[in-house]
Amino acid sequence: MTATGFDGEAGPRPTALAPDFELPPDLSAHEPPEVRGRSRDDVRLLVSRGDQAPGHHRFRDLPGLLAPGDLIVVNNSATLPAAVRLDRLAVHFSTAREDGTWLVELRRRTARASEPYAGGEPGEWLPLPGRATLRLVERETPRLWRAELDRDVETYLRAYGAPIRYSYVEEDWPIEAYQTVFATVPGSAEMPSAARPFTEALVTALVARGIGIAPITLHTGVASPEKDEPPYAERYAVPAPTARLVNLARESGNRVVAAGTTVVRALESAVDAAGLVRAASGWTRHVVTPETGVRAVTGLLTGLHEPRSSHLLMLSAVAGVDALARAYEEALREGYLWHEFGDTHLILK
């Protein structure tokens, strides 16, 4: 494994180090763990603690790995069936804008899923299922269009959409497979997958041990498995009760563990000049890197991320570059599974 700088297409270009590696195809989780005969909370959990050797657990061991008084912050955004498929193209609805338009990604359908499609012209109309039409307004980024559907998008997606699926997932799964136990606020194009292994029984066990759980909302846009792009602006909200609980946990010397990179992004966007988390909402372009550091969180639950993805820079900010490199070497050696249906990683500072 080597370390490399990030070289995304757009947005900030962090110069700090993050691990780089080759991901063998057989380490992608091709289906939900339930299909592999396991419960959601029976996926593997790799635990990183600074200079210590990474440890191996099951996700259901989480209550014993944390202490009473620790706080887990979760993302309560629910996943939309955000992919609409045509004969040759697929439209991935990513992000709602204030003016009623949406950011969308056009993709060419393939035998296994889809791949980026560079076509499209401003003003072009695309006929969608259900006699709907989508007008391309202007190109927002090299792969995202600002577009306008001739009807309410969320209602339309519930009727004609399917969960976004990339080629490493071999078949379609119902939208329920892409929801977490915390999902209450519809709006994400892709599942905030770090919290997928939580079950109602595990939440009960955490609370019984005195571990708090508090929500934020961040609606995820579409990822780009083919491009190592930094994240673009996303809608988020940190409620006042959650901000108070985060500050209280920090002041008391307890951990604040983010369940997912989306939670880190939301909380770090809500930190004021004094280092306290405040109630906040709106759009965030904040990109967490080892150079920006983290001030709100002291731990992170997350999946295993693609080589050269911007997420690895955020993980390096929490774990440290060397600790993250050790963890990924261990995950590769021990055959952990990557992506939204795969295994998980707990990073504790």
Side-chain angles (χ1 to χ4, degrees), residues 326-339:
R326 279 195 300 274
Y328 271 66
E329 288 174 352
E330 186 77 1
L332 290 165
R333 182 166 52 246
E334 294 296 326
Y336 276 66
L337 295 180
W338 260 246
H339 302 306

Side-chain angles (χ1 to χ4, degrees), residues 320-349:
V321 174
D322 292 341
L324 186 64
R326 279 195 300 274
Y328 271 66
E329 288 174 352
E330 186 77 1
L332 290 165
R333 182 166 52 246
E334 294 296 326
Y336 276 66
L337 295 180
W338 260 246
H339 302 306
E340 64 266 36
F341 295 137
D343 295 314
T344 54
H345 184 195
L346 172 62
I347 299 169
L348 298 175
K349 290 176 75 71

Side-chain angles (χ1 to χ4, degrees), residues 42-131:
D42 195 33
V43 295
R44 301 174 75 184
L45 177 63
L46 184 71
V47 180
S48 296
R49 298 175 186 267
D51 293 336
Q52 299 180 28
H56 302 279
H57 297 268
R58 292 289 173 186
F59 194 84
R60 62 167 60 114
D61 299 335
L62 184 62
L65 296 168
L66 300 178
D70 288 347
L71 178 68
I72 301 174
V73 184
V74 301
N75 185 358
N76 63 10
S77 179
T79 312
L80 300 171
V84 176
R85 296 166 183 162
L86 315 178
D87 288 341
R88 297 182 179 179
L89 293 179
V91 180
H92 288 183
F93 285 80
S94 175
T95 305
R97 305 293 292 269
E98 295 92 336
D99 62 359
T101 63
W102 276 67
L103 294 184
V104 304
E105 181 183 21
L106 304 182
R107 296 179 66 88
R108 187 193 310 276
R109 297 191 66 182
T110 65
R112 293 177 61 86
S114 63
E115 62 185 16
Y117 173 69
E121 296 290 339
E124 182 177 350
W125 292 82
L126 299 179
L128 300 189
R131 299 177 180 270

Side-chain angles (χ1 to χ4, degrees), residues 5-14 142 227-231 308-310 313:
F6 178 79
D7 188 23
E9 275 189 351
R13 286 174 162 73
K227 302 282 187 182
D228 51 341
E229 298 174 358
R308 295 170 290 282
S309 71
S310 61
L313 292 175

Side-chain angles (χ1 to χ4, degrees), residues 245-263:
L245 288 170
V246 169
N247 294 331
L248 179 62
R250 294 295 305 268
E251 291 165 6
S252 303
N254 298 116
R255 299 187 186 95
V256 175
V257 178
T261 57
T262 58
V263 175

